[in-house]
């Protein structure tokens, strides 16, 4: 709408939705070409992310979307019933994998829907979808991984509204963490961290058990993405309830496995946790500064680290170098000190 400079964007949106939404939904439901159906599901998700509540303000669209996603999850659409054309996705081995691709696209709509509606309003729908998402016994690796990832993203979108489901979700993620697949484990570890973050202090009595399970993945030959997700989960525990954690014993180990290498999106929560501890003058965090400082400075030149994470790192370094100037200089090489100087200079000039 904006691109075409309509004078009354608000008035135009319902008209556009009245044309687009039924058309896209009909493609998902009736088209037999899986590639086209996946594109239609992706289009639906992108519209929902962009328009949020505006897309589902009409209850008819909301009901239709709920029914559509449910039908895909239950394998009721035309493309899921017709297994003759398996040409889509050359890297997929069989029809069950093709079906998983469709379910993945449909499942990704649910976190977007939770965000658009808000956790409270989404709660009854989550209760309805939950039995369809949780993997049943005998499901393949892709389906188990998909379930863990979808549930994790829904928990993140629902925020504190997930609390009534905490016990159920804890069991689901704990089961996933004990899976044989690295992909399932990684998604489940992420989910456990998000659940802790969204549940506030609800899971504090489980922290010891969670830490014990997560610690098994911190090994030299471990899956690096899983290790990154462990660091992200611990960061979320630190943010949610630092007083319930044995920081003296876990934080030095936490620092040892930094920086992240695979799941770079977790950088934001990792450095938010570090910032939180340093801001509260946590003794063990201050003791780890000689190890942390070179890591953080090096991350400023890492192209894989996004600007948001770099901004938080710079904020941390600005505070630390101001309060502990001598320690900062002693902890860095001359090259690192120059990188820090330039970063802080740029930060001052930029502000």
């Amino acid at each position: 709408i904006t691109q075409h400079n309509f004078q009354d964007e608000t008035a135009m949106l319902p008209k556009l939705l009245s044309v687009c939404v039924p058309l896209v939904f009909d493609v998902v439901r009736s088209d037999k070409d899986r590639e086209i159906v996946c594109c239609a599901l992706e289009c639906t998700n992108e519209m929902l992310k962009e328009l949020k509540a505006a897309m589902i303000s009409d209850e008819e669209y909301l009901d239709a979307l709920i029914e559509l996603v449910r039908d895909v999850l239950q394998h009721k659409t035309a493309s899921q019933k017709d297994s003759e054309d398996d040409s889509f996705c050359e890297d997929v081995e069989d029809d069950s994998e093709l079906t998983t691709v469709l379910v993945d696209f449909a499942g990704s709509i649910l976190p977007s829907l939770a965000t658009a509606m808000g956790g409270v309003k989404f709660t009854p729908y989550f209760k309805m979808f939950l039995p369809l998402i949780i993997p049943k016994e005998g499901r393949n690796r892709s389906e188990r991984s998909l379930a863990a990832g979808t549930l994790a993203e829904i928990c993140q979108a629902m925020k504190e509204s997930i609390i009534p489901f905490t016990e159920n979700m804890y069991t689901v993620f704990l089961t996933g963490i004990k899976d044989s697949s690295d992909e399932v484990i990684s998604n489940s570890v992420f989910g456990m961290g998000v659940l802790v973050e969204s549940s506030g202090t609800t899971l504090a009595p489980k922290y010891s058990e969670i830490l014990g399970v997560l610690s098994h993945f911190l090994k030299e030959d471990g899956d690096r993405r899983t290790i990154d997700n462990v660091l992200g989960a611990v960061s979320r525990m630190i943010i949610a309830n630092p007083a319930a954690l044995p920081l003296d014993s876990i934080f030095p180990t936490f620092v040892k496995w930094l920086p992240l290498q695979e799941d770079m999106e977790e950088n934001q929560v990792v450095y938010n946790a570090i910032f939180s501890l340093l801001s509260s003058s946590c003794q063990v965090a201050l003791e780890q500064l000689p190890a942390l400082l070179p890591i953080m400075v090096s991350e400023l030149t890492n192209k894989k680290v996004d600007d948001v994470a770099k901004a938080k790192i710079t904020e941390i370094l600005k505070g630390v170098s101001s309060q502990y100037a001598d320690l900062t200089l002693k902890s860095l090489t001359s090259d690192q000190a120059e990188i820090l100087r330039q970063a802080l200079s740029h930060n001052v000039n930029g502000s």
Side-chain angles (χ1 to χ4, degrees):
I1 295 173
T2 304
Q3 292 177 349
H4 289 83
N5 296 317
F6 287 115
Q7 291 184 344
D8 191 348
E9 298 175 5
T10 305
M12 285 299 302
L13 182 58
K15 296 179 182 178
L16 288 174
L17 289 176
S18 68
V19 174
C20 295
V21 172
L23 177 62
V24 174
F25 286 8
D26 183 64
V27 169
V28 175
R29 192 175 299 283
S30 61
D31 203 297
K32 293 185 178 182
D33 187 317
R34 294 186 183 92
E35 186 171 11
I36 291 176
V37 172
C38 284
C39 287
L41 286 168
E42 186 176 22
C43 175
T44 300
N45 198 14
E46 290 304 314
M47 284 196 295
L48 190 56
K49 287 179 179 179
E50 184 69 26
L51 299 174
K52 297 182 173 61
M55 180 177 168
I56 51 174
S57 58
D58 187 322
E59 195 168 322
E60 181 181 349
Y61 295 157
L62 174 60
D63 292 342
L65 179 58
I66 294 294
E67 184 179 356
L68 188 70
V69 174
R70 184 170 55 192
D71 283 351
V72 177
L73 295 181
Q74 293 180 321
H75 306 237
K76 290 183 177 181
T77 64
S79 65
Q80 291 168 296
K81 294 176 182 178
D82 182 10
S83 60
E84 293 179 3
D85 177 18
D86 289 348
S87 59
F88 171 49
C89 290
E90 295 176 359
D91 60 333
V92 185
E93 295 180 358
D94 53 35
D95 187 63
S96 64
E97 290 292 322
L98 287 167
T99 302
T100 302
V101 172
L102 292 175
V103 172
D104 188 5
F105 275 96
S108 65
I109 291 174
L110 295 177
S112 303
L113 186 59
T115 299
M117 297 181 69
V120 174
K121 291 183 179 179
F122 183 73
T123 295
Y125 297 105
F126 180 58
K127 189 179 298 185
M128 177 189 72
F129 279 115
L130 190 55
L132 301 178
I133 303 172
I134 294 178
K136 297 177 175 59
E137 189 175 350
R139 291 291 175 89
N140 63 37
R141 175 193 55 80
S142 296
E143 291 172 317
R144 300 195 308 275
S145 174
L146 165 63
T150 300
L151 289 171
E153 291 178 5
I154 291 174
C155 287
Q156 193 170 38
M158 289 182 67
K159 300 180 180 178
E160 65 274 5
S161 297
I162 199 66
I163 290 176
F165 305 93
T166 297
E167 186 175 346
N168 195 349
M169 289 296 93
Y170 180 79
T171 301
V172 170
F173 290 133
L174 191 61
T175 300
I177 289 172
K178 297 176 181 178
D179 198 277
S180 58
S181 163
D182 287 339
E183 186 179 344
V184 178
I185 292 169
S186 179
N187 284 346
S188 299
V189 169
F190 172 69
M192 184 67 81
V194 168
L195 182 65
V196 168
E197 181 181 36
S198 299
S199 300
T201 60
T202 306
L203 284 175
K206 300 284 190 181
Y207 277 16
S208 179
E209 181 181 15
I210 296 171
L211 290 171
V213 173
L214 297 183
S215 67
H216 294 305
F217 301 109
L218 298 178
K219 50 188 179 182
E220 292 297 335
D221 61 346
D223 177 68
R224 187 60 223 197
R225 179 167 287 273
T226 299
I227 292 173
D228 289 353
N229 285 133
V230 168
L231 298 178
V234 172
S235 297
R236 289 180 168 87
M237 296 170 77
I238 290 172
I239 293 170
N241 195 357
L245 291 168
L247 289 173
D248 288 348
S249 60
I250 69 169
F251 194 71
T253 302
F254 175 89
V255 174
K256 174 186 173 182
W257 289 96
L258 291 174
L260 304 186
Q261 296 180 22
E262 293 290 336
D263 195 346
M264 307 305 282
E265 290 184 8
E266 291 295 80
N267 267 318
Q268 293 181 28
V269 71
V270 164
Y271 289 107
N272 281 340
I274 292 172
F275 177 83
S276 174
L277 292 178
L278 290 174
S279 296
S280 62
S281 300
C282 172
Q283 186 60 36
V284 68
L286 294 174
E287 291 170 358
Q288 288 298 311
L289 279 176
L292 271 172
L293 284 165
I295 293 171
M296 291 190 290
V297 171
S298 296
E299 289 292 82
L300 293 177
T301 59
N302 187 345
K303 294 180 180 179
K304 294 167 66 177
V305 178
D306 65 34
D307 290 342
V308 176
K310 286 181 178 178
K312 179 56 66 173
I313 292 171
T314 301
E315 185 179 1
I316 295 171
L317 290 171
K318 181 179 179 181
V320 170
S321 62
S322 174
Q323 285 188 269
Y324 308 99
D326 290 343
L327 173 62
T328 300
L329 290 176
K330 289 179 182 178
S331 302
L332 302 176
T333 66
S334 57
D335 288 344
Q336 290 170 339
E338 177 60 19
I339 292 171
L340 174 60
R341 186 193 67 79
Q342 292 182 11
L344 296 182
S345 174
H346 176 76
N347 182 258
V348 171
N349 294 333
S351 58

